[in-house]
Amino acid sequence: MSRHLLLATLLVAVSSAALAADLKPGQWEITQSMEGAQLPAEMTEERTTTQCMTAEESDDLAATMRKDWTESGCEGITIDRDGNAIDAQASCTAGARSTSFDADITLHSDEHFASVIDMDNGQQVTIHQEGRWLGESCEG
C-alpha cells in the first residue's frame, strides 16, 4: 500500500509542478496529509517537504502529466481544465494491483496551489496537498 501512496504523492507533486505559466519554477514547500479508514496513524500525520521545480517541468501541464503517468504504468488518463481548476484521472497498475486516481488541483496564484486526490486500490485514501513557492533558488 505505501508504494501506491508514494506513487500518488509523486504524481500529484509532478502534475502540480507542470503548470506552465501558472506556477513559478523554483523551490516549493509541499504540505501533505492523508486520510483513509485503513491507514496506520503514522501515515495520516501531516508532512512538509520541499521540491525543486524546473522551468522545463513547468512548461506544459497536460504533456508532463501524461508522460509521467504513462511512465508509471497508468492508462485512461484524462485531464480537463476550467480556469484555475484542473481535474485529472488515471488508472495505474503496479504488479498485480490496480489503482485509480481522481485529482482536483486548484491554482490560487502562481505561488500557491492546493490539490485533493482520491485514490482507490481496494482501499480508499484521500491525499490533501498544499504547495507554496519559496523562491527561485533550489539550493539549500
Side-chain angles (χ1 to χ4, degrees), residues 3-77:
R3 181 177 176 177
H4 295 287
L5 289 174
L6 177 61
L7 174 62
T9 300
L10 292 174
L11 291 175
V12 170
V14 169
S15 65
S16 299
L19 302 172
D22 299 314
L23 294 180
K24 294 179 177 181
Q27 190 74 22
W28 283 79
E29 177 182 80
I30 312 293
T31 302
Q32 173 183 296
S33 63
M34 293 186 251
E35 56 188 55
Q38 299 176 356
L39 284 178
E42 63 272 8
M43 292 188 77
T44 62
E45 295 174 6
E46 186 175 278
R47 294 187 176 122
T48 300
T49 61
T50 58
Q51 177 180 347
C52 182
M53 298 186 191
T54 67
E56 182 180 5
E57 288 173 319
S58 64
D59 191 36
D60 181 349
L61 169 65
T64 301
M65 288 178 74
R66 280 189 181 91
K67 178 181 180 271
D68 291 338
W69 285 8
T70 299
E71 290 174 356
S72 296
C74 302
E75 299 176 337
I77 300 166

Side-chain angles (χ1 to χ4, degrees), residues 108-125:
H108 297 286
S109 72
D110 62 353
E111 297 182 359
H112 178 225
F113 71 86
S115 64
V116 177
I117 307 150
D118 292 316
M119 181 183 87
D120 187 348
N121 64 359
Q123 300 177 31
Q124 295 182 354
V125 174

